[in-house]
């Protein structure tokens, strides 16, 4: 049995999007010949939403080590909130000590706290252990360079320069790349000759059927107070951002068109956009509702920037009448939460760049309607058809193709991960 050391700063019981690949894969690594050990940051040091139910999906035999971090309440005074930077020195010290005592065949960085990946080059040089980086998002990106300052993320000036400096250090010694998008790998191969010579694999996040079993078992504790029995509830849960403006505009323009017909069919529609900001509770800035407000749709659109727990998310998806997924105007973007939407077995409207892997997954599984963000005419037809179906009390949702969906299961995609790991250690 080969030994896998996983670096994932976020981990249950805290809910952060970037730890779900690890969480869902942990039950299946050993059946593919890899014994996992996780090193995460002690939850005391970051303020992501707590969700104790997440612990039910973690096998009891998995070793989990916790490192410290600088307290955010002190570092924020100097403008430093990044968990990666606050935990960096603690990771270096703790894992170095661990590697001196215990042998591991491979180190796997699965996180969007990318600066910690630089430590892979250090540990490879010191202990001759290969490492794989999971590109769940772009690390150093040029996407916002031509965008107005108002549309750039907070502290963009600093993060852009930091990432531009750190990414090459990590890529210099990396032995394998996993990514949710082929576009991310393509960008890296253009930047670094090293990446052209190592194993790579496009592996989306896995689906977790068992998570919905946990939801069913805990219905009494998973309320969805925002939803109203007297309205047609259309739900989106996930980040907002200015790169979603094109998709949101298409949605609201076509809804306004249907509403203007005056037949009353659409008066009961209510769109909910939940958890749209990564900012601390109460400090998020709405990016979706202002678009609706500018079109006179304020009474039909609700946005909550505060994030909710993972299983609350699943409860909302399960209790909605229909689901809406807004996609980025960046063609490389893929929605990491696409599988919970599909597994909720509710009608789905996705407004995506058709190059997105999420669009391909929805089409392959016959799980919903995909509107092309780059084709206003096609998108308008798809959106209006979806809205008309939701307004029709006799509409029957056609269930997804479960056979096609099986290739996205946690079992299947963990095997693909381990195939990549095997290639790396054999090189």
């Amino acid at each position: 049995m080969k030994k896998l050391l996983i670096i994932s700063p976020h981990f249950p019981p805290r809910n952060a999007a970037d730890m779900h690949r690890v969480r869902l894969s942990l039950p299946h690594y050993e059946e593919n010949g890899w014994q996992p050990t996780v090193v995460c940051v002690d939850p005391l040091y970051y303020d992501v939403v707590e969700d104790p139910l997440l612990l039910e999906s973690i096998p009891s035999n998995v070793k989990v080590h916790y490192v410290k971090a600088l307290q955010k309440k002190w570092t924020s005074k100097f403008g430093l909130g990044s968990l990666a930077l606050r935990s960096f020195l603690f990771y270096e010290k703790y894992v170095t000590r661990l590697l001196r005592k215990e042998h591991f065949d491979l180190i796997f960085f699965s996180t969007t706290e990318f600066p910690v990946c630089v430590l892979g080059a250090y540990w490879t040089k010191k202990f001759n252990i290969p490492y794989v980086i999971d590109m769940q998002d772009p690390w150093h990106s040029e996407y916002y360079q031509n965008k107005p300052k108002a549309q750039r993320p907070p502290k963009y000036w600093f993060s852009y320069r930091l990432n531009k400096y750190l990414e090459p250090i990590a890529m210099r010694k990396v032995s394998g790349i996993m990514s949710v998008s082929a576009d991310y790998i393509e960008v890296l191969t253009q930047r670094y000759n090293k990446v052209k010579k190592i194993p790579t694999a496009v592996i989306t996040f896995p689906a977790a059927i068992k998570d919905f079993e946990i939801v069913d078992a805990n219905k009494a504790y998973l309320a969805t107070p925002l939803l109203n029995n007297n309205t047609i509830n259309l739900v989106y849960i996930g980040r907002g951002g200015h790169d979603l403006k094109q998709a949101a505009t298409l949605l609201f323009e076509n809804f306004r068109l249907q509403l203007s017909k005056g037949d009353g069919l659409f008066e009961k529609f209510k769109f909910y956009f939940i958890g749209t900001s990564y900012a601390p509770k109460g400090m998020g800035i709405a990016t979706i509702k202002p678009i609706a407000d500018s079109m006179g749709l304020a009474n039909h659109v609700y946005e909550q920037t505060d994030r909710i727990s993972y299983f609350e998310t699943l409860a909302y998806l399960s209790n909605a009448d229909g689901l809406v997924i807004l996609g980025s105007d960046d063609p490389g973007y893929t929605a990491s939460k696409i599988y919970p939407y599909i597994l909720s077995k509710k009608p789905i409207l996705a407004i995506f760049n058709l190059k997105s892997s999420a669009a391909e997954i929805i089409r392959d599984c016959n799980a919903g309607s995909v509107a092309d963000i780059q084709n206003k005419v096609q998108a308008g037809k798809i959106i209006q058809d979806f809205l008309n179906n939701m307004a029709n009390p006799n509409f029957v949702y056609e269930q997804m193709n479960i056979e096609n969906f099986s290739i996205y299961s946690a079992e299947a995609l963990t095997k693909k991960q381990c195939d990549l790991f095997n290639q790396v250690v054999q090189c």
Side-chain angles (χ1 to χ4, degrees), residues 139-332:
W139 184 348
H140 170 58
S141 173
E142 300 289 337
Y143 176 80
Y144 289 101
Q145 279 298 90
N146 62 354
K147 298 292 188 293
K149 287 186 177 180
Q151 294 186 17
R152 293 176 177 177
K155 303 174 186 175
Y156 175 74
W157 185 93
F158 173 75
S159 61
Y160 174 81
R161 285 155 181 81
L162 180 69
N163 293 339
K164 188 174 183 178
Y165 171 74
L166 293 182
E167 185 184 83
I169 297 175
M171 294 301 161
R172 200 172 297 143
K173 297 286 186 179
V174 69
S175 296
I177 296 288
M178 182 185 304
S179 177
V180 297
S181 170
D183 283 11
Y184 300 167
I185 294 177
E186 179 62 27
V187 169
L188 294 175
T189 57
Q190 292 173 5
R191 286 180 186 164
Y192 309 106
N193 285 329
K194 169 71 173 177
V195 179
K196 297 176 183 176
K197 304 171 185 177
I198 61 175
T200 63
V202 177
I203 306 174
T204 59
F205 269 39
I209 297 173
K210 290 184 178 179
D211 285 349
F212 281 87
E213 295 173 3
I214 295 175
V215 171
D216 289 339
N218 292 274
K219 281 183 177 178
Y221 309 102
L222 294 170
T224 52
L226 296 177
L227 304 187
N228 190 325
N229 290 334
N230 297 319
T231 59
I232 296 174
N233 301 302
L234 302 177
V235 172
Y236 167 87
I237 302 181
R239 72 166 183 85
H242 294 288
D243 63 321
L244 306 186
K245 181 178 180 179
Q246 190 174 350
T249 300
L250 282 169
L251 173 65
F252 296 142
E253 283 179 346
N254 283 281
F255 174 65
R256 183 174 61 178
L257 183 63
Q258 298 298 83
L259 197 62
S260 68
K261 293 178 179 179
D263 53 17
L265 291 177
F266 301 94
E267 291 295 338
K268 290 187 175 182
F269 275 51
K270 190 71 178 281
F271 296 85
Y272 298 86
F273 298 88
I274 304 171
T276 56
S277 173
Y278 292 110
K281 188 174 183 178
M283 297 178 64
I285 298 174
T287 54
I288 306 299
K289 192 175 190 305
I291 300 170
D293 292 351
S294 70
M295 297 183 184
L297 301 174
N299 292 335
H300 293 275
V301 177
Y302 171 88
E303 180 174 2
Q304 175 182 301
T305 59
D306 291 346
R307 301 182 74 78
I308 61 176
S309 75
Y310 175 71
F311 284 100
E312 283 181 296
T313 295
L314 299 191
Y316 269 102
L317 298 181
S318 297
N319 292 335
D321 295 303
L323 306 175
V324 174
I325 315 176
L326 301 182
S328 172
D329 55 16
D330 179 358

Side-chain angles (χ1 to χ4, degrees), residues 44-103:
L44 293 173
Y45 296 97
Y46 55 97
D47 52 7
V48 178
V49 173
E50 186 171 2
D51 192 347
L53 288 176
L54 289 168
L55 292 171
E56 294 189 17
S57 61
I58 305 299
S60 59
N61 64 329
V62 172
K63 290 182 182 179
V64 181
H65 299 265
Y66 298 91
V67 302
K68 296 180 180 179
L70 297 174
Q71 290 282 6
K72 189 175 180 180
K73 67 179 180 180
W74 301 114
T75 61
S76 60
K77 295 179 180 180
F78 307 99
L80 179 62
S82 164
L83 180 62
L85 299 180
R86 291 190 292 114
S87 64
F88 189 91
L89 293 177
F90 295 94
Y91 258 116
E92 186 277 325
K93 182 178 181 180
Y94 190 99
V95 175
T96 298
R97 189 167 62 245
L98 179 63
L99 293 174
R100 286 197 181 109
K101 294 190 302 183
E102 191 173 346
H103 168 75

